[in-house]
Amino acid sequence: MSSPWQLWNNPNNISNPMLSGSPPHLQQLLSSLTATQISFIIVVGIMLLSLLRPENPAIPGAPVHGRRWRWEPALWLQSRFTFAARDLVKSGYDKYKDRPFILKRYDVDFNVLPHKYLDELRLVPETKLSGSRAQFENIGGKWTGTALAADSHVHFRAVQIISNSELPRFITLAGAELDHAWGSHFSSPKDWQLFDIQLALRNLVARMASPLLLGHPACRDERWLKLSVDYSINVITTAFTIRILPTWAQPMIAAILPARHRVAKNIRLACQIIQPLIEEHKAVSKRKAAGENVDKEITLLNWMLDNSTEEENKIDKIATRLAIQTLASVHTTTTAVSNIIFDLCAHPEWVPVLREEIKSVTEELGPIGSKPEICPKLWLQRLEKLDSFFVESQRFTPPVILGPQRVAMEPLTLKDGTYIPKGSRICWASQNHLNDPLVTSDPEKFDPMRSYIKRHSSPDEINKHLAGQTSPDNMSFGYGKLACPGRYYAVNQVKLLVTRLITQYDFKFPDNVKSRPQNLGADEFLFTDPRVKVMLKLRQDV
Ligand code: HEM
């Protein structure tokens, strides 16, 4: 008698090529089923698999939003969230305005809270409501090595140095790096030329951020610059792939996922690059401790080395934290500038307005960086119309439509008795709130001088409504204690890049693009479409 193993391997037993390789009993069973029965089994299988996903903590009584029918499997709802999060968040926001509701992503249930809870929760510390845990669960923390950032906040505190006294110096450094690298990324076409502006911007932003992260001359290490762009792509690819899998399948797929192996390779390379910098930093610290008068360059790496525990300072951990800082800074800033350029292509009537502003500031203060007493930060601060344009651009195309996001590290009870269980992911429908007619009049209209007009409406308003300032009505950079610590630096980077682009070039969409290309959505995140290019030519009249 043949063993099942022999039958499995005997080609004579294979009658249907579709079933080749199936054991014979399965083969017989499948041959006897109709297509409808097979489809039914697949559907039931999917429903059962979705039941294997662990339940996420939810606010008691909060309804799950978005089911098309009562028993729609969670997996279907979760997969619709991947491509239609914008519709689901909007319909949930419109329906439940004043009470929490649940949205299901593959790996997490969002407890979307009404705006009235924002201020009550804004100052709750990271130890109770963690922003980092939410961020790093979003980027596959467990599988991408980024989970360590949820255990220690040193990567966040390091970036805070650039929101304080060090900000002007780092903006000056970013500007100098821009001058140095511009010609390598932007050509000077005399006639219209199709140009991959997103690619050029990504590489330039990585260069501008590198003095902040590593200092000179390491910031010009081509390996580091490539890593600063690639790491984010590898992490995001890994996170999005793994999150759609049920928990039991994750270890198997993670083990063979090429993007995940590339993340590990990126970190090994980062270790190689920073090893000599760490040695140098130790040597300088020693000389300083011995009373020598030596300068210690302030960079995020050096700050972390000086302010971390021995455990946090292990080289692979420091390398991962630096890589996380590239993830937080490079693609976000690139997307912001790309969005502004696309908005200007769609509304070209604003280009002369912004150029006029740049011209008048240049006439008054001289070209940027030309006078030592006027640092680039002060100069850029004068670009109020550009600032307002950026705020409006972010209103239409923020990086994320559900924010800020926090994970409850312990149970919390709000003043009105609402109970938030430990482990729940809470968030707000930030973009829908900002686009609510009660908050922004005529929200469908792209009106880039809204903030400018508000600021100049009364002396009390002049220091409000600025890009990078967070408020309950503008959470493009998050909100509260844990809002983006790099936001003022980012706003200045954006202004440096846009000023240069609109001063030197004319740009427009290619003739076959009739309206502004929509940003793409993947879960609650928005991205510029990487296929969008613009036509560019050097300005003749400057
Ligand atoms: C236009 C560019 C940028 C945008 C739109 C942006 C947006 C954000 C948002 C929405 C958050 C979450 C805040 C919250 O949960 O309340 C965040 C966090 C953060 N951002 Fe930014 N950001 C930008 C640029 C930067 C830059 C240039 C840096 C660093 C130099 C940076 C470093 C960080 C860090 C370290 C976090 C915290 C991550 C954590 O929670 O552990 N960002 N950013």
Side-chain angles (χ1 to χ4, degrees), residues 126 131-133 135-136 149 153 155-156 159 162 212 300 324-325 328-330 332-334 336 390 394 399-400 404-406 475-480 482-487 489-491 493-494:
E126 168 75 19
S132 292
R133 189 159 292 277
Q135 303 285 353
F136 296 109
H153 226 206
H155 70 288
F156 187 100
V159 178
I162 54 172
L212 164 69
L300 295 191
I324 287 169
Q325 284 156 348
S329 58
V330 174
T332 44
T333 310
T334 304
F390 181 27
Q394 281 196 308
V400 56
Q405 297 188 15
R406 306 282 180 256
M475 300 194 286
S476 303
F477 283 99
Y479 188 59
L482 304 172
C484 173
R487 60 193 189 276
Y489 176 77
V491 170
Q493 263 190 323
V494 166

